[in-house]
Amino acid sequence: MRHFGHIAPEVRRRLFHQQPCEFDADSPARLLAAALGATLYSPATRPRLADDVRKQAARGVVSMVLCLEDSIGDEDVAAGEENLVHQFADLAAGDRSALPLLFIRVRTPEQIPDLAHRLGPTVALLSGFVLPKFTEERGIPFLEALASAEAMSGRRLFAMPVLESPELLFRESRVDTLEGIFRAVDKYRERVLALRLGVTDFCSSYGLRRAPDMTAYDVQIVASVIADVVNMLGRADGTGFTVTGPVWEYFRVQERMFKPQLRRSPFLEGQAEQLREALIEHAMDGLLREIALDQANGLTGKTCIHPSHVLPVHALSVVSHEEFSDAQDILRPESGGGGVLRSQYTNKMNEVKPHRAWAERTMLRAEVFGVANEDVGFVELLAAGIPG
């Protein structure tokens, strides 16, 4: 699979200076963590789940979570497990190379080895498990169960812990909770693909819900948690983990209080004013702003609950030609001694040592999402990715 692989090759050649790379479930963990992109959640109880997975993969989705937790009722868990076994068998009977990375969100540690056993040979289609309400105390049993399932199945299985517990939100317990989480994920580092943020649960602890023209960063109590999570768990010194962006809850808005947040000029230049109006109508201007803020705050990818959110996440993850040029200059061997370089775009300075970690992350993102041609922006990428 590859990002934007659903777009015709001749269109990709027009859009990209460097094409997104190909990868699969057996690719190195560092590459997969960067490539997760928009991870689409789906209830495990859907009767045509296998067909849904194939359809979304054909539309550019590269990672999906099949959920047995909050998206289904307590009384539906057993049926959801049974449905997963059936749907994985259906998926295994088709073209496996066309499938996205698949993860199962469980409720209890015991479900992990049980499901791995019940899936039988089709566990080969599974990339791992999403672990809810993760703290050190609750998380270690999940990680131990994952290690057991991995040994039993002979299949590499990753964990994606969800950071969403009240202990993480409350100020008096936050630092201790984060230190405990770090101890747990550091011990199982080779199995932890990414850490996911459960912002909806954070908001629920205070009876809050952000409006469609507000981002997670406008809710100060949530923004403070995100900052502390990145501070302690997302460092670029080799000790950090990939931390993914929070879910965007909206996909259509009937009435709005504030003016749309999408400038007209990029869409007029691309002759895509109709696309701009469609994005505003479906609350995507708020989503686009939140994605930009995710990236500015050190988050990679995003949890998604609606297929329409996937393309905006991926379009804004493509590295611009200007970013790529700056990163290349910073990482040139002859720049190893440091110093300051003038950007080839003559609009900024590139400090070799302070900007090196940014450049390395940018080049990894360039590998998985590609580099846009010099005259291509996110509007063109959005327009090209919309199914005809």
Side-chain angles (χ1 to χ4, degrees):
M1 71 190 87
R2 72 162 86 208
H3 284 290
F4 297 94
H6 64 300
I7 296 177
E10 62 273 15
V11 177
R12 287 206 310 271
R13 285 193 291 271
R14 176 173 56 81
L15 293 173
F16 288 97
H17 170 77
Q18 176 181 298
Q19 295 280 325
C21 72
E22 291 187 344
F23 58 92
D24 59 31
D26 296 318
S27 294
R30 182 170 177 269
L31 187 76
L32 291 182
L36 287 168
T39 300
L40 184 63
Y41 277 53
S42 180
T45 51
R46 290 180 68 90
R48 298 183 62 83
L49 186 59
D51 290 338
D52 293 340
V53 169
R54 294 188 188 100
K55 180 173 71 173
Q56 297 308 327
R59 293 180 175 180
V61 172
V62 303
S63 63
M64 289 187 70
V65 173
L66 313 178
C67 184
L68 289 165
E69 210 226 354
D70 285 348
S71 69
I72 67 173
D74 297 346
E75 69 280 5
D76 295 325
V77 174
E81 292 176 346
E82 190 64 33
N83 189 52
L84 282 179
V85 173
H86 172 73
Q87 300 294 337
F88 267 70
D90 187 335
L91 290 169
D95 180 7
R96 300 187 178 196
S97 66
L99 299 179
L101 304 172
L102 295 175
F103 301 85
I104 297 174
R105 183 176 180 175
V106 292
R107 294 185 173 212
T108 67
E110 294 75 23
Q111 285 178 299
I112 293 177
D114 180 59
L115 282 167
H117 173 71
R118 290 164 66 182
L119 287 171
T122 68
V123 75
L125 305 182
L126 185 65
S127 289
F129 292 88
V130 175
L131 315 180
K133 299 172 179 59
F134 193 93
T135 63
E136 182 178 29
E137 182 181 1
R138 288 194 293 269
I140 289 292
F142 278 103
L143 292 169
E144 289 174 344
L146 181 80
S148 174
E150 187 177 68
M152 176 185 67
S153 65
R155 167 73 180 160
R156 182 180 70 168
L157 296 171
F158 288 114
M160 290 202 291
V162 185
L163 310 186
E164 56 186 346
S165 64
E167 300 98 311
L168 185 59
L169 184 62
F170 299 153
R171 184 167 186 169
E172 66 271 20
S173 56
R174 185 179 303 172
V175 172
D176 286 346
T177 302
L178 282 168
E179 288 176 344
I181 289 170
F182 178 80
R183 285 192 295 269
V185 294
D186 188 50
K187 181 179 178 181
Y188 290 87
R189 179 174 291 271
E190 72 281 2
R191 291 190 172 90
V192 177
L193 188 62
L195 306 177
R196 312 200 71 89
L197 286 165
V199 163
T200 302
D201 282 54
F202 291 157
C203 288
S204 74
S205 295
Y206 289 87
L208 304 175
R209 186 174 190 179
R210 68 190 191 275
D213 31 23
M214 298 277 184
T215 72
Y217 302 92
D218 295 312
V219 183
Q220 290 300 300
I221 197 164
V222 170
S224 72
V225 181
I226 294 174
D228 286 344
V229 167
V230 174
N231 191 329
M232 296 183 69
L233 300 173
R235 299 177 185 179
D237 60 359
T239 67
F241 296 82
T242 295
V243 183
T244 66
V247 69
W248 181 257
E249 298 177 354
Y250 297 94
F251 39 88
R252 190 173 182 89
V253 177
Q254 301 302 326
E255 184 178 355
R256 59 191 311 135
M257 182 180 299
F258 299 110
K259 291 174 63 176
Q261 301 174 75
L262 282 181
R263 291 188 303 112
R264 287 182 179 274
S265 54
F267 292 86
L268 293 175
E269 292 166 8
Q271 298 182 328
E273 178 67 10
Q274 188 175 359
L275 172 59
R276 177 180 181 272
E277 295 301 324
L279 291 170
I280 292 170
E281 179 185 356
H282 290 83
M284 295 298 181
D285 55 324
L287 170 62
L288 291 169
R289 181 166 176 262
E290 186 165 284
I291 296 166
L293 288 169
D294 286 342
Q295 294 174 353
N297 284 278
L299 307 184
T300 302
K302 201 165 187 65
T303 295
C304 294
I305 47 83
H306 195 272
S308 63
H309 300 169
V310 172
L311 182 56
V313 174
H314 292 171
L316 284 176
S317 297
V318 174
V319 173
S320 71
H321 189 273
E322 181 174 345
E323 290 176 309
F324 184 66
S325 171
D326 289 340
Q328 277 189 315
D329 284 350
I330 291 164
L331 296 175
R332 291 187 193 283
E334 59 268 28
S335 302
V340 177
L341 308 169
R342 187 178 70 166
S343 166
Q344 290 187 31
Y345 277 70
T346 68
N347 60 359
K348 72 178 79 66
M349 70 170 188
N350 292 323
E351 283 199 70
V352 172
K353 289 183 178 179
H355 289 145
R356 186 172 187 84
W358 168 85
E360 290 171 346
R361 286 188 172 185
T362 298
M363 294 303 276
L364 179 59
R365 182 160 57 94
E367 185 175 358
V368 295
F369 287 100
V371 178
N373 270 321
E374 198 165 356
D375 59 344
V376 171
F378 80 92
V379 174
E380 291 85 358
L381 292 161
L382 275 173
I386 296 173

